Amino acid sequence: MHDESRRIEERVQRLHDQRIKSAVYAATVPFEVEAWQAPGEPVPFEEAAAASYEPFTMGTPWGPPWGTTWFRMRGQVPAEWAGKRVEAVIDLGFVGDWPGNQAEALVHLTDGTPLKAVNPLNQYVAIANPAQGGETVDYLVEAASNPDILADNFSRTTPLGDKLTAGDKPLYTFRSADIAILDEEVWHLDLDVQVLRELMLELGEHDPRRHEIAHALDRAMDLLDLDDVSGSAAAVREALKPVLSKPAHASAHTISGVGHAHIDSAWLWPIRETKRKTSRTFSNVTSLADEYDDFIFACSQAQQYEWVRDNYPKVWARIQESVKNGQWAPVGGMWVESDGNLPGGEAVARQFVHGKRFFMDHFGIETKGVWLPDSFGYNAAYPQLAKLAGNEWFLTQKISWNQTNTFPHHTFWWEGIDGTRIFTHFPPVDTYNARFSGVEMSRAVRNYAEKGGASRSLAPFGWGDGGGGPTREIMERARRLADLEGSAKVVVEHPDEFFAKAREEYPDAPVWVGELYLELHRATYTSQARTKQGNRRSEHLLREAELWATTAALHAPGYTYPHEKLDRLWKTVLLHQFHDILPGSSIAWVHREAEAEYARVARELHALTAEAVAALGAGGPRVFNTSPYDRSEVVRTADGAPVYVEVPANGSAPLTDSAPPQPVTVDGRVLDNGLVRVEVAEDGTLSSVRDLRAGREVLAEPGNLLRLHTDLPNYWDAWDIDKHYKNRYTDLLDASSVTVVEQDPLIGAIRVERSFGKGSTVTQTITVRAGSPRIDIETDIDWHETEKILKAAFPVDIRAPHSSAEIQFGHIQRPTHTNTTWEAARFEVSGHRWVHLGEPGYGVAVINDSTYGHDVSRTVREDGGTTTTVRLSLVRAPRIPDPEADQGRHRFTYALLPGATIEDAVAEGYALNLPLRVADAAGAPAPVVSAEGEGVTVEAVKLADDASGDVVVRLYESRGGRATGTLRTGFPLAGAQITDLLERPLEDAEITDGAVALTLRPFQILTLRLQRG
């Protein structure tokens, strides 16, 4: 037989694209359209319905950036269309090849009932099936003219990312708004041909099945009447039935399809637009559920459900009905799909608490899995936190984006830092917006790493980010691929069902230990520094407010614990931990609003803490310590005078001056407190840091060296830092002034001022305090650079085989060498409050109050010694998607801690981030709780969420070793239970001599519920 593959393939493509697709709608009549441009921000339906509309003509430009245009569409179904399937088909002037991040609309009936959204790949609204004929159609359509920020593949900056700079030029041209007959036979033929053609093209050249499909398509096309596609469609479909009905091989891979619509809670649009995106997509989903009984939709992010509940009650009612019917599956169990690295440990716990509670309260469903497809890497505390929240499985997708190494598993057990394992899946289809194309089906089978051990994977399908979610076309593809020779098999099912089957099939799946590090998007640890600082401060202010509110509730008559306020503030902070807000990868509008929200949260939390402290009664100035460690340090009074105080953990003490171990001396540019001696060079760097206790020099080279690097990644400016950034830099060694600014027995400080680049300045105050080896570097930057990153280096004379960086409820060790590509790929990593470098007998920590990104490297000197350098990433200057990212003022503190153990790093990390508070208060009640035992660290103290009055304490082992100890209470203890994160009892805790006995494995998290006597 002659090879006619090329002719057949080209013939089928042309007939499909040019004739069959164009015949899907058999006849159309246009709507009469009027328009009203809403002024400013979106308005409620009632206001739009009462507005005055003007005639609108197709082909007319409409929609300023971020604007809302309401269209009134009126029409009548022709009488002769009775019995036909009739739809409204609306093309707002869609652009590009991405169905999200552009124009979209929600169609309402005139009584305000939302019907369905209109999206680039989902343009229809069902009118009647069968139509009665003569039916009047009257819609109000709320259309959003959101700009296409992704235009030109992020290759240029744009002012469109903020309504303040976007201008008012219309972005779109309305193409058509019609009432149309859907020719169902042609529509099904269109899908038959698509599925077969795509399968054919993915099969091998020598696969008989490929040629069987090709010739079947060729023969079927002979039956297509080009002058009457509709009339001949049935015959063509009948000819294709034999090749569409051949069953898949018995060993074929099975893909569990789960309807999905990944909607970023903010990204290239503001939060206010996400509220509308969710309503549009969820309207589509509930409509699709009405059409397809076998449809299952998995949806995460409790925050998005709450937005719909509060703003679109009719859509909310439809969601509730779909959940009852089993077609809508709440998943994820988190408030939002948060970033996987940057939120603090307690914040991740609260993500689960607030998310899971929402689904239980509103649907009576406890979610079983963590659904996090798109975060930029995942911390190694997740397995334990997920299991403590009652989860059984974990799903991610993003690791497929790795730049260097291919992750070796798709189904595996993920083991966290404490030893907890959770069953994890990473879909080989490599997308969370699948549509069951031939390419996707082939890729899933080809990629699947578990061949021979397992035979199934999961594929989330549907258009995300405002694309409207799953479509009927995708559902039809799934039906055709359910059992088709040459293809993987597709079954649409609940993700819980997939995970149960996958675990049963593959119980001895391989184990991955430690973090799931994404070898990409490493700059998300640094971009938009003010957003990150707002998060860090909010997390610690929440801890402070909860502790002192609990103290007041226990000891101040008449004081009421502010459950509702704290709940609301936590949810605000959790929302802004979304994986495109906290990482700094959103448009300017998002980060401008985030900064304002963090400022509001700080004001409210300061007020709540002040109220709680005031409730304890007046009686003179006291010092309040929110840290879980006893503190002996210098604090300033209201008039700025330094005082050396000693304060117990989680407690308070009178503001009385205690005698420090040794006063601070200042001699020229040398600060000395008997523990450390710091010499500041003329250029402003630290020329020497001598640990007087150990009798050794800490630095191998000048420390606190500020280095300005060129920082232009290959792509994804706000997300990425590529390795070549190291090759071009300028060391900032031209200090304009080095001045002693404080010389007191308790505090010595030297200020260094610099100017550089495009008018940027940095002022650093290097401070040594009595009684502490910690050297603080308070930094004030006025930043005006572009495509640069500023780092601060501390080269220490330590041969450290690994660095230790704090993560949620513990720390992780990373090799300092680059023996393999896996280590080399970790050239920029994340950490929380501290990074520790150590060799046997000696260590140094670098502490911070708001930075996350850093790198660690090592070199061997000519003298044979090893220099290990930790460099903090302070601030960046990407221009896409926010052209003004990080511009302006930044104020933060980082510190060098010589002679530090891991325990010292933990304690000083808390201390730097939880400054002592001075307030007027009566005699101090005993701390709510006091933990005894090395490594036993209290993370949160609060009243139980059920308002029972029980005290809830979350603690963990922080050193990475076993710990034994006790937890004593400052109130009569009547009973104690160990609980899960949701404060549900798991077992009774052991009480000995009125205290809770503690035995913890390395990095174990323990939540205790304490009953008051």
Side-chain angles (χ1 to χ4, degrees), residues 63-67 93-104 120 144-162 166 169-172 267-269 277 465 587 715 880-881:
W66 306 114
F94 301 116
V95 298
D97 58 0
W98 185 33
N101 193 41
Q102 57 166 295
E104 51 185 307
S145 47
N146 300 330
D148 182 8
I149 305 294
L150 268 182
D152 301 323
N153 289 321
F154 276 159
S155 63
R156 58 181 175 83
T157 61
T158 174
L160 293 174
D162 196 331
K169 181 180 179 181
L171 297 175
Y172 300 97
W267 179 29
L268 305 179
W269 48 85
K277 284 179 180 284
D465 287 336
I587 56 174
Y715 197 56
I880 298 170

Side-chain angles (χ1 to χ4, degrees), residues 675-688:
L675 302 174
V676 292
R677 185 172 66 241
V678 180
E679 297 181 19
V680 181
E682 289 185 15
D683 62 15
T685 60
L686 303 183
S687 57
S688 172

Side-chain angles (χ1 to χ4, degrees), residues 326-584:
Q327 291 185 276
W328 186 298
V331 293
M334 299 178 74
W335 191 247
V336 295
E337 289 183 15
S338 68
D339 180 81
N341 292 307
L342 306 179
E346 187 60 24
V348 178
R350 303 299 177 96
Q351 288 281 358
F352 285 122
V353 168
H354 287 288
K356 294 199 73 161
R357 280 221 183 103
F358 185 92
F359 296 133
M360 287 190 288
D361 290 346
H362 293 284
F363 303 121
I365 289 175
E366 180 168 359
T367 56
K368 295 182 179 180
V370 184
W371 184 278
L372 268 181
D374 191 34
S375 292
F376 310 142
Y378 306 90
N379 74 79
Y382 256 125
Q384 184 180 189
L385 285 163
K387 293 297 284 291
L388 287 173
N391 292 295
E392 300 173 0
W393 54 261
F394 191 99
L395 177 134
T396 177
Q397 176 64 65
K398 203 68 172 188
I399 303 299
S400 67
W401 288 41
N402 268 7
Q403 211 172 29
T404 305
N405 298 285
T406 299
F407 193 78
H409 312 300
H410 284 104
T411 301
F412 58 99
W413 289 96
W414 180 20
E415 181 179 313
I417 53 174
D418 73 308
T420 299
R421 292 179 178 179
I422 190 166
F423 195 71
T424 301
H425 183 65
F426 158 37
V429 72
D430 281 0
T431 180
Y432 41 80
N433 297 309
R435 63 183 186 91
F436 298 132
S437 68
V439 169
E440 289 171 351
M441 300 291 287
S442 176
R443 180 170 63 230
V445 175
R446 183 174 61 251
N447 282 354
Y448 190 55
E450 317 309 323
K451 297 182 186 75
S455 62
R456 63 181 66 244
S457 65
L458 185 144
F461 65 87
W463 306 110
D465 287 336
T471 64
R472 59 188 181 186
E473 288 78 14
I474 302 177
M475 281 299 297
E476 290 293 336
R477 283 173 169 270
R479 286 180 168 182
R480 286 159 174 78
L481 293 166
D483 192 15
L484 182 61
E485 183 187 354
S487 173
K489 295 182 285 188
V490 173
V491 55
V492 177
E493 63 182 348
H494 195 294
D496 286 348
E497 294 182 33
F498 161 76
F499 275 95
K501 293 174 183 176
R503 182 170 174 174
E504 181 181 6
E505 179 186 43
Y506 202 30
D508 58 344
V511 177
W512 180 268
V513 179
E515 66 181 331
L516 293 175
Y517 176 85
L518 177 63
E519 296 174 358
L520 195 73
H521 292 0
R522 303 167 181 90
T524 58
Y525 317 144
T526 304
S527 296
Q528 299 285 4
R530 283 184 293 269
T531 297
K532 291 173 170 58
Q533 185 176 52
N535 174 73
R536 179 78 69 85
R537 295 303 309 129
S538 296
E539 289 178 344
H540 288 81
L541 288 170
L542 279 160
R543 173 197 179 100
E544 187 176 31
E546 287 184 337
L547 173 63
W548 300 114
T550 302
T551 305
L554 294 175
H555 299 288
Y559 177 82
T560 301
Y561 188 86
H563 283 284
E564 292 184 2
K565 290 180 180 178
L566 288 169
D567 182 82
R568 173 175 50 80
L569 290 166
W570 262 115
K571 287 176 179 175
T572 299
V573 174
L574 298 179
L575 164 59
H576 288 86
Q577 291 175 342
F578 179 75
H579 65 252
D580 274 307
I581 303 178
L582 183 53

Side-chain angles (χ1 to χ4, degrees), residues 789-951:
I789 184 170
L790 183 65
K791 285 186 166 255
F794 291 93
V796 297
D797 188 8
I798 289 179
R799 183 172 175 80
H802 60 258
S803 64
S804 298
E806 187 188 39
I807 64 168
Q808 297 81 350
F809 294 106
H811 59 268
I812 188 169
Q813 294 181 344
R814 300 180 176 107
T816 55
H817 63 72
T818 54
N819 283 356
T820 72
T821 55
W822 292 91
E823 287 104 26
R826 287 174 166 85
F827 59 82
E828 181 81 1
V829 292
S830 66
H832 284 201
R833 291 170 292 212
W834 53 267
V835 181
H836 183 269
L837 303 172
E839 62 187 21
Y842 195 78
V844 171
V846 178
I847 319 288
N848 73 82
D849 72 356
S850 61
T851 61
Y852 296 87
H854 66 276
D855 70 88
V856 180
S857 60
R858 61 194 292 274
T859 58
V860 177
R861 306 188 299 272
E862 290 187 4
D863 65 3
T866 300
T867 300
T868 307
T869 303
V870 57
R871 303 194 311 155
L872 299 181
S873 300
L874 303 182
V875 64
R876 295 185 72 230
R879 303 187 66 212
I880 298 170
D882 175 7
E884 300 297 318
D886 280 320
Q887 298 299 298
R889 298 294 292 274
H890 301 269
R891 297 178 180 87
F892 49 82
T893 298
Y894 54 89
L896 183 68
L897 186 64
T901 62
I902 290 290
E903 296 95 318
D904 296 330
V906 173
E908 291 300 321
Y910 276 109
L912 184 62
N913 284 269
L914 290 165
L916 296 174
R917 175 181 287 263
V918 177
D920 183 71
V928 176
V929 292
S930 301
E932 300 171 4
E934 292 186 0
V936 178
T937 303
V938 174
E939 176 63 15
V941 178
K942 58 189 285 293
L943 289 193
D945 291 343
D946 61 6
S948 63
D950 291 348
V951 175

Side-chain angles (χ1 to χ4, degrees), residues 301-316:
Q301 306 197 71
Q303 172 69 89
Q304 295 185 0
Y305 286 78
E306 185 176 82
W307 284 334
V308 174
R309 182 199 69 187
D310 294 346
N311 298 295
Y312 297 87
K314 294 181 179 179
V315 177
W316 171 249

Side-chain angles (χ1 to χ4, degrees), residues 758-771:
K758 299 179 180 179
S760 298
T761 62
V762 57
T763 300
Q764 295 193 301
T765 303
I766 301 161
T767 303
V768 171
R769 296 175 175 84

Side-chain angles (χ1 to χ4, degrees), residues 267-303:
W267 179 29
L268 305 179
W269 48 85
I271 287 172
R272 70 90 149 140
E273 193 55 33
T274 313
K275 295 176 182 179
R276 301 202 295 176
K277 284 179 180 284
T278 54
S279 69
R280 298 176 195 125
T281 294
F282 294 174
S283 296
N284 286 352
V285 170
T286 54
S287 295
L288 193 63
D290 291 339
E291 288 189 67
Y292 291 87
D293 292 340
D294 53 338
F295 174 58
I296 301 287
F297 179 71
C299 185
S300 65
Q301 306 197 71
Q303 172 69 89

